[in-house]
């Protein structure tokens, strides 16, 4: 199944063209890393997939259902908010800045959308939350509030919160960029675990070694376009394009 | 002396009634209008902007006069004094609460909205469960100020002859030429406002669990 299918999408912020005609198909089970210099459109591209950014041109299909459509020469139109929400809840997202709910405990953070969106019975939602906390290695933190956690712990809670909705794809937007170097490993470890379970994932990252290790496909973006899309070794070992080569050399 | 105190306390009863009725309506309406100002369409925003501008830009006393004397004449109806006072206070305080809650909601990080949306939560769910609870904590200090101001503002109802603390005090002072009555009134106001200060500091402490 084509989990994500973007065709010729364009997105501007004022006069800046953040995405300039991007085509991208992600199939079920793929683990895709998106790399590239800052401002190249990586995060914007990711955020277009779950409607955090609205595109001006092009079409978006998610789970083979159109969510944004464009007739020839017209601006892109989205399906209704209600229909969108049904699709968005099947997409998990992890943010650079965690975005945990500070007024809710760790357990409540993971239960919240289960209760309000999925209408899961509280006992079941709690069981799922506890199981996920175990999975991300935070068994003893269920009663803690986000402010009492380290960055790495916060991000692991955020991953558990996203997983609680049983998503069919996970989007990671620079999940370790806000972390102290010594906390990066514990978060990457959790993402690796998901990779081993063949979760479909798109990871925007600056961690080149990690991208190479977990992904079966790497995309290099620059100036709002996909410059290269291939196997990790194609990009990391023999980058053909001089821009990619300079970038990789600088990053490693 | 004792009868003086009881007479003024009877006025305090009126003061508190206006205080509570105003808050019961003005707070939820303020939250609702704040959301209207943030998320509403152009027309709703425009109407609410004019509303807060008018109500915050004119004296409360004028508004009380207008509701009690003006509206009945304009519409050819009869308005009970108490009802007129309630209406004037509610529309006035709603305007202030609207602005306070608007600022509170706008102070919540964009990431909270994005995380909620990414989880599939609707806008009303996001507001009710994520944004408003956090906003309330942030606006607690200015809301406390409004509560204190409201206690003191209720004294304005004496201008339409409602027997509150202030009016009863003035009546005694002019009847019995006993200026110490003012001090009794002041003490009652101070007790009421101290109660508010105390309650708010308690609430702030209670909500500090997630700092």
């Amino acid at each position: 199944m084509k989990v994500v299918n973007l065709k010729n999408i364009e997105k501007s912020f004022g006069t800046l063209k953040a995405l300039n005609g991007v085509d991208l198909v992600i199939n079920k089970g793929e683990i895709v890393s998106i790399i590239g210099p800052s401002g190249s459109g990586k995060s914007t591209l990711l955020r277009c997939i779950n409607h955090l950014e609205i595109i001006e041109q092009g079409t978006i299909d998610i789970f083979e259902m159109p969510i944004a459509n464009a007739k020839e020469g017209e601006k892109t139109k989205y399906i209704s908010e209600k229909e969108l929400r049904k699709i968005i809840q099947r997409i998990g997202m992890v943010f650079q800045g965690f975005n945990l709910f500070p007024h809710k405990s760790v357990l409540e953070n993971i239960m919240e959308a289960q209760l309000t969106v999925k209408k899961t019975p509280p006992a079941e939602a709690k069981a799922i939350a506890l199981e996920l906390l175990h999975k991300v290695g935070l068994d003893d933190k269920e009663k803690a509030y986000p402010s009492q956690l380290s960055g790495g712990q916060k991000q692991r809670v955020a991953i558990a919160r996203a997983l609680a909705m049983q998503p069919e794809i996970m989007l990671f937007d620079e999940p370790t960029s806000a972390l102290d170097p010594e906390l990066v490993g514990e978060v990457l470890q959790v993402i690796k675990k998901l990779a081993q379970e063949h979760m479909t994932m798109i990871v925007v990252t600056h961690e080149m070694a990690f991208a190479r290790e977990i992904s079966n496909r790497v995309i290099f973006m620059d100036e709002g376009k996909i410059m290269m899309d291939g196997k990790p070794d194609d990009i990391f070992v023999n980058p053909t394009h001089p821009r990619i080569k300079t970038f990789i050399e600088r990053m490693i | 002396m004792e009868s003086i105190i009881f007479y003024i306390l009877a006025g305090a009863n009126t003061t508190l009634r206006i205080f509570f009725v105003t808050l019961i309506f003005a707070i939820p309406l303020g939250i609702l209008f704040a959301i209207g100002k943030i998320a509403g369409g152009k027309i709703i925003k425009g109407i609410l902007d004019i509303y807060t501008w008018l109500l915050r830009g004119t004296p409360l006393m004028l508004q009380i006069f207008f509701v009690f004397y003006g509206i009945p004449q304009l519409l050819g109806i009869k308005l009970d004094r108490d009802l007129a006072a309630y209406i004037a206070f509610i529309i006035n305080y709603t305007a202030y609460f609207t602005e306070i809650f608007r600022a509170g909601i706008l102070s919540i990080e964009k990431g909270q909205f994005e995380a909620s949306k990414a989880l599939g939560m609707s806008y009303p769910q996001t507001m009710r469960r994520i944004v408003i609870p956090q906003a309330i904590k942030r606006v607690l200090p200015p809301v406390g100020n409004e509560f204190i101001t409201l206690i003191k503002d209720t004294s304005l109802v004496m201008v339409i002859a409602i027997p509150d603390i202030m009016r009863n005090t003035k009546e005694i002072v002019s009847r019995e030429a006993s200026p110490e009555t003012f001090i009794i009134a002041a003490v009652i106001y101070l007790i009421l406002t101290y109660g508010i200060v105390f309650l708010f500091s308690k609430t702030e402490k209670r909500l500090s669990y997630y700092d």
Side-chain angles (χ1 to χ4, degrees):
Chain A
M1 181 174 75
K2 288 176 185 169
V3 179
V4 175
N5 188 357
L6 310 176
K7 278 192 210 120
N8 202 23
I9 64 170
E10 288 182 26
K11 164 81 193 170
S12 310
F13 295 108
T15 53
L16 177 86
K17 204 128 198 153
L19 294 176
N20 196 356
V22 173
D23 294 290
L24 178 66
V25 175
I26 308 277
N27 291 301
K28 193 170 160 53
E30 276 189 309
I31 296 162
V32 182
S33 292
I34 305 181
I35 61 170
S38 319
S40 58
K42 313 180 291 290
S43 287
T44 307
L45 178 63
L46 198 68
R47 290 162 58 84
C48 286
I49 294 171
N50 68 346
H51 195 240
L52 289 178
E53 301 292 350
I54 293 162
I55 59 167
E56 287 118 26
Q57 298 289 334
T59 67
I60 302 176
D61 291 2
I62 306 288
F63 308 123
E64 297 180 345
M65 286 178 286
I67 68 161
N69 248 309
K71 289 204 187 84
E72 252 321 286
E74 273 181 42
K75 263 188 92 167
T76 296
K77 282 203 183 66
Y78 278 85
I79 57 172
S80 75
E81 286 281 334
K82 210 175 154 203
E83 295 296 315
L84 266 171
R85 272 206 305 280
K86 275 191 204 147
I87 293 174
I88 290 171
Q89 60 173 284
R90 295 165 63 189
I91 307 173
M93 175 131 188
V94 173
F95 299 86
Q96 180 179 351
F98 326 125
N99 297 343
L100 292 178
F101 306 132
H103 60 308
K104 292 186 180 289
S105 70
V106 163
L107 199 68
E108 288 167 337
N109 263 277
I110 305 174
M111 289 171 67
E112 178 63 25
Q114 296 188 67
L115 299 176
T116 54
V117 179
K118 275 198 156 172
K119 316 282 184 206
T120 311
E124 194 186 329
K126 188 177 174 184
I128 292 172
L130 288 172
E131 194 187 311
L132 285 166
L133 270 180
H134 176 70
K135 184 173 190 169
V136 300
L138 292 170
D139 288 292
D140 51 337
K141 295 291 182 193
E142 56 168 284
K143 291 201 176 75
Y145 283 88
S147 61
Q148 299 163 325
L149 303 177
S150 72
Q153 291 170 332
K154 280 184 201 168
Q155 196 59 299
R156 286 187 279 155
V157 173
I159 293 172
R161 178 177 68 175
L163 291 175
M165 295 298 283
Q166 286 149 332
E168 290 156 66
I169 177 171
M170 285 286 285
L171 310 177
F172 290 89
D173 189 5
E174 302 196 28
T176 60
S177 295
L179 298 177
D180 291 336
E182 76 268 24
L183 301 176
V184 168
E186 62 190 67
V187 172
L188 295 186
Q189 212 55 45
V190 171
I191 302 175
K192 240 182 252 174
K193 215 190 251 179
L194 292 177
Q196 283 154 10
E197 294 167 9
H198 306 291
M199 168 71 85
T200 310
M201 298 198 282
I202 310 178
V203 187
V204 170
T205 185
H206 291 294
E207 300 285 333
M208 294 302 138
F210 172 74
R212 191 175 168 185
E213 185 189 339
I214 66 150
S215 9
N216 38 42
R217 186 175 156 198
V218 176
I219 287 168
F220 180 87
M221 280 189 77
D222 196 20
E223 292 176 344
K225 288 190 167 157
I226 292 180
M227 304 265 296
M228 194 172 168
D229 179 347
K231 295 224 169 307
D233 284 350
D234 297 341
I235 291 195
F236 290 110
V237 183
N238 6 291
T240 44
H241 205 286
R243 289 206 66 153
I244 305 175
K245 205 172 165 183
T246 359
F247 176 78
I248 304 263
E249 276 162 7
R250 200 152 21 92
M251 295 300 288
I252 299 174
Chain B
M1 182 71 185
E2 213 166 283
S3 70
I4 289 178
I5 294 176
F6 276 116
Y7 194 57
I8 299 176
L9 280 178
N13 192 32
T14 309
T15 295
L16 285 174
R17 207 178 60 234
I18 295 167
F19 177 77
F20 284 115
V21 171
T22 302
L23 292 180
I24 286 166
F25 286 93
I27 292 176
L29 281 173
I31 293 175
L32 199 70
F33 288 1
I35 295 172
K37 270 201 173 193
I38 291 165
K42 254 197 184 131
I43 296 169
I44 291 176
K45 270 182 207 165
I47 291 170
L48 289 171
D49 279 345
I50 292 172
Y51 164 72
T52 49
W53 173 63
L54 279 179
L55 274 292
R56 295 195 310 159
T58 56
L60 177 53
M61 196 191 288
L62 183 135
Q63 292 164 20
I64 294 169
F65 278 137
F66 183 77
V67 173
F68 185 59
Y69 296 112
I71 289 181
Q73 281 188 28
L74 287 172
L75 303 179
I77 51 165
K78 242 185 100 62
L79 257 188
D80 174 63
R81 279 171 212 283
D82 281 3
L83 186 61
Y86 293 150
I87 293 171
F89 273 87
I90 290 166
I91 59 170
N92 180 274
Y93 271 78
T94 298
Y96 284 95
F97 283 129
T98 298
E99 285 306 312
I100 290 174
F101 285 116
R102 188 177 71 90
I105 292 168
L106 289 177
S107 79
I108 302 299
E109 297 71 21
K110 211 174 91 210
Q112 295 289 305
F113 290 89
E114 291 189 346
S116 308
K117 185 175 170 184
L119 287 165
M121 293 171 74
S122 67
Y123 187 77
Q125 283 173 337
T126 304
M127 277 293 166
R128 205 171 56 240
R129 312 243 338 158
I130 307 300
V131 176
I132 306 268
Q134 292 183 62
I136 283 176
K137 182 186 169 187
R138 288 200 193 168
V139 300
L140 229 41
V143 168
N145 279 340
E146 287 303 307
F147 277 41
I148 289 171
T149 309
L150 175 56
I151 283 281
K152 293 179 293 179
D153 274 355
T154 54
S155 63
L156 289 170
V157 297
M158 70 179 286
V159 301
I160 54 170
I162 292 177
D164 74 318
I165 297 177
M166 202 56 220
R167 190 185 147 91
N168 287 3
T169 303
K170 193 171 160 265
E171 207 185 300
I172 293 169
V173 172
S174 36
R175 197 176 60 207
E176 305 186 8
S178 54
E180 67 274 13
T181 313
F182 284 131
I183 294 169
I184 297 171
V187 169
I188 294 174
Y189 278 118
L190 283 170
I191 291 170
L192 293 178
T193 49
Y194 177 76
I196 293 169
V197 171
F198 180 77
L199 236 108
F200 269 82
S201 74
K202 274 262 183 222
T203 313
E204 273 183 48
K205 273 206 195 86
R206 205 163 56 81
L207 288 183
S208 68
Y209 68 89
Y210 68 82
D211 282 327

